[in-house]
Amino acid sequence: MEWHEIRDPQDPELDRLAARYRLHPLHIEDCRHGNQNAKVEESHGYLFTVLKQVSLKSDGSLFIDDLDIFLGRDFVITVEPVDCPAIRQLLEAAHKAASSPRGDQIFYRIADGTVDSYLPILDRFSEGIDELEDQVLDRPVPDALARIFETKRSLILLRRVLVNTRDVIGHLQRTESDLIHRDLSPFLRDVYDHVARNLDLVEMQRDLLSGSLDIYLSSVANKTNQVVKVLTVLSTIALPALVISSIYGMNIKGLPWIDSPNASAIVGSLMLAATVVLLALLRFFRWL
Amino acid sequence: MEWHEIRDPQDPELDRLAARYRLHPLHIEDCRHGNQNAKVEESHGYLFTVLKQVSLKSDGSLFIDDLDIFLGRDFVITVEPVDCPAIRQLLEAAHKAASSPRGDQIFYRIADGTVDSYLPILDRFSEGIDELEDQVLDRPVPDALARIFETKRSLILLRRVLVNTRDVIGHLQRTESDLIHRDLSPFLRDVYDHVARNLDLVEMQRDLLSGSLDIYLSSVANKTNQVVKVLTVLSTIALPALVISSIYGMNIKGLPWIDSPNASAIVGSLMLAATVVLLALLRFFRWL
Amino acid sequence: MEWHEIRDPQDPELDRLAARYRLHPLHIEDCRHGNQNAKVEESHGYLFTVLKQVSLKSDGSLFIDDLDIFLGRDFVITVEPVDCPAIRQLLEAAHKAASSPRGDQIFYRIADGTVDSYLPILDRFSEGIDELEDQVLDRPVPDALARIFETKRSLILLRRVLVNTRDVIGHLQRTESDLIHRDLSPFLRDVYDHVARNLDLVEMQRDLLSGSLDIYLSSVANKTNQVVKVLTVLSTIALPALVISSIYGMNIKGLPWIDSPNASAIVGSLMLAATVVLLALLRFFRWL
Amino acid sequence: MEWHEIRDPQDPELDRLAARYRLHPLHIEDCRHGNQNAKVEESHGYLFTVLKQVSLKSDGSLFIDDLDIFLGRDFVITVEPVDCPAIRQLLEAAHKAASSPRGDQIFYRIADGTVDSYLPILDRFSEGIDELEDQVLDRPVPDALARIFETKRSLILLRRVLVNTRDVIGHLQRTESDLIHRDLSPFLRDVYDHVARNLDLVEMQRDLLSGSLDIYLSSVANKTNQVVKVLTVLSTIALPALVISSIYGMNIKGLPWIDSPNASAIVGSLMLAATVVLLALLRFFRWL
Amino acid sequence: MEWHEIRDPQDPELDRLAARYRLHPLHIEDCRHGNQNAKVEESHGYLFTVLKQVSLKSDGSLFIDDLDIFLGRDFVITVEPVDCPAIRQLLEAAHKAASSPRGDQIFYRIADGTVDSYLPILDRFSEGIDELEDQVLDRPVPDALARIFETKRSLILLRRVLVNTRDVIGHLQRTESDLIHRDLSPFLRDVYDHVARNLDLVEMQRDLLSGSLDIYLSSVANKTNQVVKVLTVLSTIALPALVISSIYGMNIKGLPWIDSPNASAIVGSLMLAATVVLLALLRFFRWL
């Protein structure tokens, strides 16, 4: 049982291993080229698996790396990207735990570690969505809109990784290849359950996120409604006063009460009465 | 036929039972860790089932607990959370009903009780949604928006529990394990029907809830429309009067009728006529 | 061939029949409790079917009743709700048509009658939706909104009944039970086709209804747009006149043409010109 | 090989044929009643097929007719509606092409002709949707809204016809009835491909149409935004002038520059400056 | 092994080949007529495949061409459209690579090349969508709306091509025809993976694009909200001043402070105070 750790996909060592274990050229190409979907392919004498390591960059966007694993009867080859501390750490942990285990046990440890690493990311998204929801209910600013769509984009990416990973584990559970021993089956089912639960979470978060967008739009509509109401009330108060005072500003004769010494009191009351009647009408007909 | 009731997942008694009945370590871990999806797993000599107990917290949000059941040939082990009166009550009821029944009958009673406990919660949601619908039609306030999304979140959670529980019961109905006797089959189908009907209800409520959101948005748009109409009518009434009185307030010569003794009557009629003509135009062209 | 008609689910006669024909207690419970989904269950020696009778209440909402049928080798038992004239009529019609037919022919007549009774209800909905569509295009009032959602709710309920009924008939078509004779098969397929077509209609109506809501929102947006346009045109006409007349109302010296005898003509032309230029600008830049 | 053409479903000749070829009463009823879904049913000794002929009425709405075909070992019976020139033409074309062919070849020619007749209708819809899209982008008038929903309704109807027709052809391709010879198989696959492609087109058009509605709503929102902007700019220009001129229209003492001979120039500059500063502020803070 | 390259579907050479290799007339018709869906059909002695070549026109819309391939035991026939440099280039590359290979290897090279040519187009769309997203967040102009819907239309078309191509490759992978050798299987799986990944990308882009539309609508609503706020603030500032100055412009007696020498200071402060109090009220009640 040999475990070959290739720490750079361009390492020519990979070619030597390919020749020695008769690995398919398309698989070597997949390792070199990277950026594959998570997948598993059964070849003569070995299983080729691509797993995806997901990390959060400091700006909250996702960073996704490939981890390629060849699992043969008496060998395991892991091909990791050059600069990914998360994968390094994962493989080292698998190394420590595995004194001299079987190849499929090593594979299980790596797959389990990879899947476990998705949960903290989902938790971060979950918190982010809760915050967003509160924020858009309270203050629907365009900045929140941008964050909603960034999160949406990340969830779309993450969902794709999870769906493919679930299919990989599901396939390995059902495989009849003798490279995976029967006693590993409950453990693979456990990993499968974890991925499935993560996927449930992602679906739920997508649902909630699309809800956030609805809140956003509703809140903006609400705020506009409120502002227009304020404008209308202001106009309702001001317009009668303006009209009446304009009328008494005309340079014509015969305006009522114009020569009365109480003119200003009368006219003032008129303005007040007009405004009050108007506001009462609006309220009575529930127009506002 | 022994029934072991573990009332605290951390109880070391669980380890002793695990050793005695050779329970799989991953299942013990599931009990200890909690927060599993509802599921059933067939192992050598026993069935391991996780059911979910759902309660409503006083603020209307959901509280979800795990109830783990090991069903073996001559034993039943139930593992319940430390502080969940609903599960305690359910198990006691099962105890009373079961003088010395078979293990699968105990299991049926517990599953039946769990599923029955979902219905009152669904009824509460149903009432809440009816109230919400009426409220948003009448007064679309932001508070209703927040309640719509809380309910949505709860329904998403509940739906997940129900889907998984349905799959558990469906699996048990079809299982060929001899731990479930054939004569239990119509009873399991009955439980299955109940879960399926609950799931139908949840889907219906989600549909109605998304309708509530549509009503909300439509109502807000409607109210805004109405307020703007009020503003426009106000302006239509005030603007002709303002323009005309402003014109007669100018300090220039040659304004018509300005020296007439009936000036104020003439100008007043002018204002009235302008407003009436304007309103008639708006109505005639159905612009308002 | 005996046909037992139980006209009240609480009738103790049902218990006697249950004992005589060895009916499963869960089925008797379903009859007594009511409110089941449409379903068919094969038991030892008989088929238990629940069909749903749908009627329209005077306020347009749906009223749904259970009709339970036990079909045995030499007996038919129908259990109807206490106060449902539609089901009574249906059973009497089946009675008249059936001089001394086989049990499965009685069953077919009842199922056929039940399914036929859905069509007039669908037609009523169809008309209602057409009316709604015209109304919301013309005058999007909140009342239409309420009717849209009542209809939506009814369609959700009806759809559930239809889906379950379709599954019942589909199951009976494929069943290998010798309680259903082979020569009934084209008749059951006919019933199946009718349910399927009804279901198509419901889906279509849901589609059209959700379209109505879109029209509603679009119409409201449109009306608001129109009202705001009116307000803007009004302001465009009034503001230049107001500004110019206010300026000539100032108590300061040196305003142009103020002492000219044609002042009012000049200023009037000024106002008119300003308004015309403004309106022309708006039209030219297509801002309105 | 006899081909019976029934040109009126009520023709008593149909009953004679039914007796002679032992056609199932339910099929005769389907012919007489019309308005069936496209379907195929295998009976003893013959295949009963319903195809749907679709035409466009002059107002752009769909007109859908039934064409019923009985295909037996040595006979073909076609039942066409009384007044449908399109079906008449189709059958005559099939007549000319078929000197003395087999029954399944006649059937193929009819089915092929029916399916071919859907394409021009789809092309018309396609053009209509393109026009609508351009129109709503440019001028979102309510009339376009009505046309969007008419088209939507037609597409829903057409989709149903196509789905059912596809299932009919698919069933005939897979049937093991010896009424359809093996060498017809590539031809039926060709018809199937055509229906499937038409169905793809309908789905695409539904997608584009729902896009048109989104454009409509967005365009209306945009126009409203623009109109409100115009109103705000107008107010921004007019209000400073109004306020300043109103102030100088007050009958009080001590207003600055009021006695200056350059008063009007000063005040005019003041107004201009206020407006410019206000507009600059709006632009600077990107509030407009 | 002969490779016949037909460079014009109307070339009579195609008829000679059809006669020589006994190609089905429907397949020749498909070549001549063009505009087929991507498909594969197994005939006696050969496989007929239609692939779709996609190019971007200079205005960003898609241009889609057919490439037809007949793969027989000892021949390959490719039928290309008259004027499509992309297909020409692809076939020449396949020619160079293939000194004297098997027919299925030639087919693989062509299919691989076709599928590879989709990726740059998807990349262009991806960039376009990113740009659109940024643009609509910042400035939701109607032009962006038009671009969103053009891209949507292209994605719908592209998706159809990809779905059909995936089915073609999937069918060839599973086929039991001996025209495809077993050792080609991993290569076809590789092509299948590429198409599937492209399809994933298209789905993702559709998701993001529909997000862009939501941003658009939200941004417009937001801008309208902002403009209305500006209008309301302007009115709030102007109206008190207007009302007060209008009042002091009335030609009546008894207005307070009107004869005071500090009248203008007093009235000015009054105006200022009214505006400040109003703005403070709006802020305090969070109405703005």
Side-chain angles (χ1 to χ4, degrees):
Chain A
M1 178 65 235
E2 288 177 58
W3 179 354
H4 306 275
E5 289 180 85
I6 307 291
R7 299 198 184 183
D8 177 356
Q10 308 312 326
D11 190 341
E13 174 70 11
L14 185 54
D15 296 305
R16 260 162 294 173
L17 291 170
R20 175 169 162 201
Y21 295 116
R22 308 221 287 151
L23 309 176
H24 199 288
L26 283 172
H27 295 158
I28 300 303
E29 206 187 290
D30 282 352
C31 295
R32 291 258 151 88
H33 191 273
N35 208 9
Q36 302 296 310
N37 282 349
K39 65 176 175 183
V40 59
E41 291 181 1
E42 307 198 16
S43 259
H44 293 293
Y46 68 95
L47 287 169
F48 173 61
T49 316
V50 183
L51 295 177
K52 307 294 282 187
Q53 174 69 34
V54 181
S55 345
L56 272 179
K57 280 195 278 194
S58 57
D59 67 343
S61 65
L62 289 180
F63 188 75
I64 302 182
D65 267 316
D66 284 28
L67 170 57
D68 309 296
I69 307 167
F70 295 86
L71 170 59
R73 199 165 315 277
D74 53 356
F75 67 95
V76 171
I77 304 168
T78 53
V79 184
E80 62 191 282
V82 174
D83 193 30
C84 178
I87 289 183
R88 195 79 286 276
Q89 212 174 318
L90 173 66
L91 292 180
E92 262 159 27
H95 239 322
K96 271 187 208 136
S99 51
S100 70
R102 302 190 325 244
D104 58 351
Q105 286 173 345
I106 292 175
F107 175 82
Y108 158 69
R109 279 207 190 90
I110 295 173
D112 191 44
T114 308
V115 168
D116 279 356
S117 75
Y118 299 153
L119 200 60
I121 292 170
L122 280 168
D123 286 347
R124 279 278 284 280
F125 281 133
S126 196
E127 282 166 34
I129 291 169
D130 283 3
E131 275 171 40
L132 265 174
E133 226 170 76
D134 290 347
Q135 190 188 340
V136 292
L137 257 177
D138 198 44
R139 281 187 313 125
V141 292
D143 183 55
L145 206 56
R147 274 183 60 208
I148 287 176
F149 285 99
E150 270 164 41
T151 312
K152 188 180 177 184
R153 188 181 273 263
S154 296
L155 284 178
I156 291 174
L157 283 171
L158 195 54
R159 190 179 167 277
R160 220 170 105 201
V161 168
L162 284 168
V163 165
N164 290 324
T165 305
R166 187 193 56 185
D167 292 350
V168 165
I169 307 294
H171 182 95
L172 289 174
Q173 239 183 305
R174 288 186 314 272
T175 187
E176 288 173 8
S177 161
D178 55 359
L179 292 166
I180 306 282
H181 291 249
R182 290 217 104 197
D183 63 355
L184 204 66
S185 175
F187 293 93
L188 284 177
R189 189 169 55 188
D190 195 56
V191 176
Y192 186 91
D193 280 1
H194 285 178
V195 188
R197 218 173 330 146
N198 287 350
L199 206 50
D200 267 7
L201 278 176
V202 167
E203 293 297 344
M204 216 176 110
Q205 290 180 357
R206 275 163 63 106
D207 236 346
L208 291 172
L209 201 63
S210 88
S212 297
L213 184 64
D214 289 332
I215 309 180
Y216 184 90
L217 255 177
S218 308
S219 290
V220 170
N222 236 332
K223 298 270 169 189
T224 303
N225 180 270
Q226 214 174 25
V227 175
V228 174
K229 254 188 203 168
V230 166
L231 182 59
T232 305
V233 169
L234 273 178
S235 304
T236 311
I237 296 173
L239 284 179
L242 270 180
V243 168
I244 290 171
S245 59
S246 274
I247 286 171
Y248 279 92
M250 291 192 288
N251 301 320
I252 56 174
K253 306 247 159 73
L255 289 165
W257 308 299
I258 198 158
D259 296 319
S260 148
N262 303 322
S264 63
I266 294 173
V267 170
S269 318
L270 214 65
M271 288 175 184
L272 209 68
T275 296
V276 166
V277 165
L278 216 49
L279 285 174
L281 276 175
L282 293 187
R283 176 138 305 260
F284 182 74
F285 290 110
R286 304 194 59 195
W287 281 334
L288 227 54
Chain B
M1 180 62 236
E2 288 178 59
W3 179 355
H4 306 276
E5 289 179 84
I6 307 291
R7 300 198 184 183
D8 176 356
Q10 308 312 326
D11 189 342
E13 174 71 12
L14 185 54
D15 297 306
R16 259 162 295 171
L17 290 170
R20 176 169 162 203
Y21 294 117
R22 306 221 288 152
L23 308 176
H24 198 287
L26 283 172
H27 295 158
I28 301 303
E29 207 187 288
D30 282 351
C31 295
R32 292 259 149 87
H33 191 272
N35 209 9
Q36 301 297 309
N37 282 348
K39 65 175 174 184
V40 59
E41 292 181 1
E42 307 198 16
S43 260
H44 294 293
Y46 69 94
L47 286 170
F48 173 61
T49 314
V50 182
L51 295 177
K52 308 292 284 186
Q53 175 70 34
V54 181
S55 344
L56 271 179
K57 281 194 278 195
S58 56
D59 68 342
S61 66
L62 290 179
F63 188 75
I64 302 181
D65 265 318
D66 284 28
L67 170 58
D68 308 296
I69 307 167
F70 294 86
L71 170 60
R73 200 164 314 275
D74 53 357
F75 66 94
V76 171
I77 304 168
T78 53
V79 184
E80 61 192 283
V82 174
D83 193 30
C84 178
I87 289 183
R88 196 78 288 278
Q89 212 173 318
L90 173 68
L91 291 180
E92 263 159 26
H95 239 320
K96 270 186 211 139
S99 52
S100 70
R102 304 189 324 244
D104 58 351
Q105 286 173 344
I106 293 175
F107 175 81
Y108 158 70
R109 278 205 190 91
I110 295 172
D112 192 44
T114 309
V115 168
D116 279 355
S117 74
Y118 299 153
L119 200 60
I121 292 169
L122 280 169
D123 286 346
R124 279 279 283 281
F125 281 133
S126 197
E127 282 166 34
I129 292 169
D130 283 1
E131 275 171 41
L132 265 174
E133 225 170 76
D134 290 346
Q135 190 188 340
V136 292
L137 255 177
D138 199 44
R139 280 188 313 122
V141 292
D143 184 54
L145 206 56
R147 275 183 60 209
I148 287 177
F149 285 100
E150 269 164 41
T151 312
K152 187 179 177 183
R153 189 182 274 262
S154 296
L155 284 178
I156 291 174
L157 283 170
L158 194 54
R159 190 178 166 277
R160 221 170 103 200
V161 168
L162 283 168
V163 165
N164 289 324
T165 305
R166 188 193 55 183
D167 291 351
V168 166
I169 307 294
H171 182 95
L172 289 174
Q173 237 183 306
R174 287 185 315 272
T175 187
E176 288 172 8
S177 161
D178 55 0
L179 292 165
I180 306 282
H181 291 249
R182 292 215 102 199
D183 63 356
L184 203 65
S185 175
F187 293 93
L188 285 177
R189 189 170 53 188
D190 195 56
V191 176
Y192 186 91
D193 280 0
H194 285 179
V195 189
R197 218 172 333 146
N198 287 350
L199 205 50
D200 267 8
L201 277 175
V202 168
E203 293 297 344
M204 218 177 108
Q205 290 180 358
R206 275 164 62 108
D207 236 346
L208 291 172
L209 201 63
S210 89
S212 297
L213 184 64
D214 289 332
I215 309 181
Y216 185 90
L217 255 177
S218 307
S219 290
V220 170
N222 236 331
K223 298 269 170 191
T224 303
N225 179 270
Q226 214 173 26
V227 174
V228 174
K229 254 190 204 167
V230 167
L231 183 59
T232 305
V233 169
L234 274 180
S235 304
T236 311
I237 296 174
L239 284 179
L242 271 180
V243 169
I244 290 171
S245 60
S246 274
I247 286 171
Y248 280 92
M250 291 192 290
N251 301 319
I252 56 174
K253 304 246 160 76
L255 289 166
W257 308 298
I258 200 157
D259 296 320
S260 148
N262 303 321
S264 62
I266 293 173
V267 169
S269 316
L270 215 65
M271 287 174 183
L272 208 68
T275 296
V276 167
V277 165
L278 216 47
L279 285 175
L281 275 175
L282 292 187
R283 176 140 304 260
F284 182 74
F285 290 111
R286 304 195 58 194
W287 281 334
L288 225 55
Chain C
M1 180 64 234
E2 288 178 58
W3 179 355
H4 307 274
E5 289 180 84
I6 307 291
R7 299 196 184 185
D8 176 356
Q10 307 312 324
D11 190 342
E13 173 71 11
L14 185 55
D15 296 307
R16 261 162 293 169
L17 290 171
R20 176 170 162 201
Y21 295 117
R22 307 221 288 151
L23 308 176
H24 198 287
L26 282 172
H27 294 158
I28 301 304
E29 206 187 289
D30 282 351
C31 294
R32 292 260 150 87
H33 190 273
N35 208 9
Q36 301 297 309
N37 282 349
K39 65 176 175 183
V40 59
E41 290 181 4
E42 308 198 15
S43 257
H44 293 295
Y46 69 93
L47 286 170
F48 173 61
T49 315
V50 183
L51 294 178
K52 308 293 282 186
Q53 175 70 32
V54 181
S55 344
L56 271 179
K57 281 194 277 194
S58 56
D59 68 342
S61 66
L62 290 179
F63 188 75
I64 301 182
D65 265 317
D66 284 29
L67 170 57
D68 309 296
I69 307 167
F70 294 87
L71 170 60
R73 200 165 313 278
D74 52 357
F75 67 94
V76 171
I77 304 167
T78 52
V79 185
E80 61 193 282
V82 173
D83 193 31
C84 178
I87 289 182
R88 195 77 289 276
Q89 211 175 317
L90 173 67
L91 291 180
E92 262 157 27
H95 238 321
K96 270 186 210 137
S99 51
S100 69
R102 304 189 325 242
D104 57 352
Q105 286 172 345
I106 293 175
F107 175 81
Y108 158 70
R109 281 208 187 88
I110 296 173
D112 192 44
T114 309
V115 168
D116 279 357
S117 74
Y118 299 154
L119 200 59
I121 292 170
L122 281 169
D123 286 346
R124 280 279 285 279
F125 280 134
S126 196
E127 282 166 35
I129 292 169
D130 284 2
E131 275 171 42
L132 265 173
E133 226 170 77
D134 289 346
Q135 189 187 340
V136 292
L137 256 177
D138 198 44
R139 280 188 314 124
V141 291
D143 183 55
L145 206 55
R147 275 182 59 210
I148 287 177
F149 284 100
E150 269 164 40
T151 311
K152 187 179 178 182
R153 189 182 273 262
S154 295
L155 283 178
I156 290 174
L157 283 170
L158 194 55
R159 190 178 168 276
R160 220 170 105 202
V161 169
L162 283 167
V163 165
N164 289 324
T165 305
R166 188 193 55 184
D167 291 350
V168 166
I169 307 294
H171 182 94
L172 289 174
Q173 237 184 306
R174 287 186 314 272
T175 187
E176 289 173 7
S177 162
D178 55 1
L179 292 166
I180 305 281
H181 292 248
R182 289 217 104 197
D183 62 356
L184 204 66
S185 175
F187 293 93
L188 284 177
R189 189 171 53 188
D190 195 56
V191 176
Y192 186 91
D193 279 0
H194 285 177
V195 189
R197 217 169 336 144
N198 288 350
L199 205 51
D200 268 8
L201 277 174
V202 167
E203 293 298 345
M204 217 176 109
Q205 290 181 358
R206 275 164 62 108
D207 236 346
L208 291 171
L209 202 63
S210 89
S212 296
L213 184 65
D214 290 332
I215 309 182
Y216 185 89
L217 256 177
S218 307
S219 290
V220 170
N222 235 330
K223 298 268 170 194
T224 303
N225 179 271
Q226 213 174 26
V227 174
V228 174
K229 255 190 204 166
V230 167
L231 183 59
T232 305
V233 169
L234 274 179
S235 305
T236 312
I237 296 173
L239 285 179
L242 271 180
V243 168
I244 290 172
S245 59
S246 275
I247 285 172
Y248 280 91
M250 291 192 290
N251 301 320
I252 56 173
K253 304 247 161 75
L255 289 166
W257 308 296
I258 200 157
D259 296 319
S260 147
N262 304 320
S264 63
I266 294 173
V267 169
S269 317
L270 215 65
M271 287 174 184
L272 207 71
T275 296
V276 167
V277 165
L278 216 48
L279 285 175
L281 275 176
L282 293 188
R283 177 140 303 259
F284 182 73
F285 289 112
R286 304 194 60 192
W287 280 334
L288 225 56
Chain D
M1 179 64 235
E2 289 177 58
W3 179 354
H4 306 274
E5 289 180 83
I6 306 292
R7 299 195 184 185
D8 175 356
Q10 308 311 325
D11 190 342
E13 174 70 13
L14 185 54
D15 297 305
R16 261 163 291 169
L17 291 171
R20 176 170 162 200
Y21 295 116
R22 308 220 289 151
L23 308 177
H24 198 287
L26 282 172
H27 293 158
I28 301 304
E29 206 187 287
D30 283 352
C31 294
R32 293 258 150 88
H33 192 273
N35 209 7
Q36 302 297 309
N37 282 350
K39 65 175 174 182
V40 58
E41 290 181 3
E42 307 197 16
S43 258
H44 294 295
Y46 69 92
L47 285 169
F48 173 61
T49 315
V50 182
L51 294 178
K52 309 292 283 186
Q53 175 70 33
V54 182
S55 343
L56 271 179
K57 281 194 277 193
S58 56
D59 68 341
S61 66
L62 289 180
F63 188 75
I64 301 181
D65 266 316
D66 284 29
L67 170 57
D68 309 297
I69 307 168
F70 294 86
L71 170 60
R73 200 166 312 279
D74 52 357
F75 67 92
V76 171
I77 304 168
T78 52
V79 185
E80 63 193 280
V82 173
D83 193 31
C84 178
I87 289 182
R88 195 79 287 276
Q89 211 175 317
L90 174 66
L91 291 180
E92 262 158 27
H95 239 321
K96 271 187 210 138
S99 51
S100 69
R102 303 187 327 241
D104 58 351
Q105 286 172 346
I106 293 175
F107 175 81
Y108 158 70
R109 280 207 188 90
I110 296 172
D112 192 44
T114 309
V115 168
D116 279 357
S117 75
Y118 299 155
L119 200 60
I121 292 169
L122 281 168
D123 286 347
R124 280 278 283 279
F125 281 135
S126 197
E127 282 165 35
I129 292 169
D130 284 2
E131 275 171 42
L132 265 173
E133 225 170 78
D134 290 347
Q135 189 188 341
V136 292
L137 256 176
D138 198 43
R139 280 187 312 125
V141 291
D143 182 56
L145 206 56
R147 274 183 60 209
I148 287 177
F149 284 101
E150 270 163 40
T151 311
K152 187 179 178 182
R153 188 183 274 261
S154 295
L155 284 178
I156 290 174
L157 283 171
L158 194 54
R159 191 179 166 278
R160 220 170 105 201
V161 168
L162 284 168
V163 165
N164 289 324
T165 305
R166 188 193 54 185
D167 292 350
V168 166
I169 306 294
H171 182 94
L172 289 175
Q173 238 184 306
R174 288 186 313 273
T175 187
E176 288 173 8
S177 161
D178 54 1
L179 291 166
I180 305 280
H181 292 249
R182 291 217 103 199
D183 62 357
L184 204 66
S185 175
F187 293 93
L188 284 177
R189 189 171 54 189
D190 195 56
V191 176
Y192 186 91
D193 279 1
H194 285 177
V195 189
R197 218 172 332 146
N198 287 349
L199 206 50
D200 267 9
L201 277 174
V202 168
E203 292 297 345
M204 217 177 109
Q205 291 181 358
R206 274 165 63 108
D207 235 347
L208 291 172
L209 201 63
S210 89
S212 296
L213 184 64
D214 290 332
I215 309 182
Y216 185 90
L217 255 177
S218 307
S219 289
V220 170
N222 235 329
K223 298 268 168 192
T224 304
N225 179 271
Q226 213 174 25
V227 174
V228 174
K229 254 189 205 168
V230 167
L231 183 60
T232 306
V233 169
L234 274 179
S235 304
T236 312
I237 296 174
L239 285 179
L242 272 180
V243 168
I244 290 172
S245 59
S246 275
I247 286 172
Y248 279 92
M250 291 192 291
N251 300 319
I252 55 175
K253 304 248 161 78
L255 290 165
W257 308 298
I258 198 157
D259 296 319
S260 148
N262 302 322
S264 64
I266 293 173
V267 169
S269 317
L270 214 65
M271 287 174 184
L272 207 70
T275 296
V276 167
V277 165
L278 215 48
L279 286 175
L281 276 176
L282 292 188
R283 176 138 303 260
F284 182 73
F285 289 111
R286 303 194 60 192
W287 280 333
L288 226 55
Chain E
M1 179 65 233
E2 289 177 57
W3 179 354
H4 306 275
E5 288 179 84
I6 307 290
R7 299 197 184 185
D8 177 355
Q10 307 312 326
D11 190 343
E13 174 70 12
L14 185 53
D15 296 305
R16 261 163 292 171
L17 291 171
R20 175 170 163 201
Y21 294 117
R22 308 221 287 150
L23 309 176
H24 199 288
L26 283 172
H27 295 159
I28 300 304
E29 206 187 288
D30 282 352
C31 295
R32 291 259 150 90
H33 191 273
N35 209 8
Q36 302 297 309
N37 282 349
K39 65 175 174 183
V40 59
E41 290 181 4
E42 306 198 16
S43 259
H44 294 294
Y46 69 94
L47 285 170
F48 173 61
T49 316
V50 182
L51 295 177
K52 308 293 282 186
Q53 174 70 32
V54 182
S55 344
L56 271 179
K57 279 195 278 195
S58 56
D59 69 340
S61 66
L62 289 180
F63 188 75
I64 302 182
D65 267 317
D66 283 29
L67 170 58
D68 308 296
I69 307 167
F70 295 85
L71 170 60
R73 199 165 315 279
D74 52 358
F75 67 93
V76 171
I77 304 168
T78 52
V79 185
E80 64 192 281
V82 174
D83 194 31
C84 179
I87 289 183
R88 195 79 286 276
Q89 212 175 318
L90 174 66
L91 291 181
E92 263 158 27
H95 240 320
K96 271 187 211 138
S99 51
S100 70
R102 302 188 327 241
D104 59 350
Q105 286 173 345
I106 292 175
F107 175 81
Y108 158 69
R109 279 207 190 92
I110 296 173
D112 192 45
T114 309
V115 168
D116 279 357
S117 74
Y118 299 154
L119 200 60
I121 293 169
L122 281 168
D123 286 347
R124 280 279 283 279
F125 281 134
S126 196
E127 281 165 36
I129 292 169
D130 283 3
E131 275 170 41
L132 266 174
E133 225 170 77
D134 290 347
Q135 189 188 341
V136 292
L137 256 176
D138 198 44
R139 281 187 313 125
V141 291
D143 183 55
L145 205 56
R147 275 182 60 208
I148 287 177
F149 284 101
E150 269 163 42
T151 311
K152 187 180 177 183
R153 188 182 273 263
S154 295
L155 284 177
I156 290 174
L157 283 171
L158 195 54
R159 191 177 167 278
R160 220 171 106 202
V161 168
L162 284 168
V163 165
N164 288 325
T165 304
R166 187 192 56 184
D167 291 351
V168 166
I169 306 293
H171 181 94
L172 289 175
Q173 239 185 306
R174 288 186 314 271
T175 187
E176 289 173 8
S177 160
D178 55 0
L179 292 166
I180 305 282
H181 291 249
R182 290 217 103 198
D183 62 356
L184 204 66
S185 174
F187 293 93
L188 284 177
R189 189 169 55 189
D190 195 56
V191 176
Y192 186 91
D193 280 0
H194 285 178
V195 188
R197 218 172 331 145
N198 287 350
L199 206 50
D200 267 9
L201 277 174
V202 167
E203 293 297 344
M204 217 177 110
Q205 290 180 358
R206 275 164 64 107
D207 236 346
L208 291 172
L209 201 64
S210 88
S212 296
L213 184 64
D214 289 332
I215 309 182
Y216 185 90
L217 255 177
S218 308
S219 289
V220 170
N222 235 330
K223 297 269 168 189
T224 304
N225 180 270
Q226 214 174 25
V227 175
V228 174
K229 254 189 202 166
V230 166
L231 182 60
T232 305
V233 169
L234 273 179
S235 304
T236 312
I237 296 173
L239 284 179
L242 271 180
V243 168
I244 291 171
S245 59
S246 274
I247 285 171
Y248 279 92
M250 292 192 288
N251 301 319
I252 56 174
K253 305 249 159 74
L255 290 164
W257 309 300
I258 198 157
D259 296 320
S260 148
N262 303 322
S264 62
I266 293 172
V267 169
S269 318
L270 214 65
M271 287 176 185
L272 209 67
T275 296
V276 166
V277 165
L278 214 49
L279 286 175
L281 276 176
L282 292 188
R283 176 138 304 259
F284 182 73
F285 289 111
R286 303 195 59 193
W287 280 334
L288 227 53

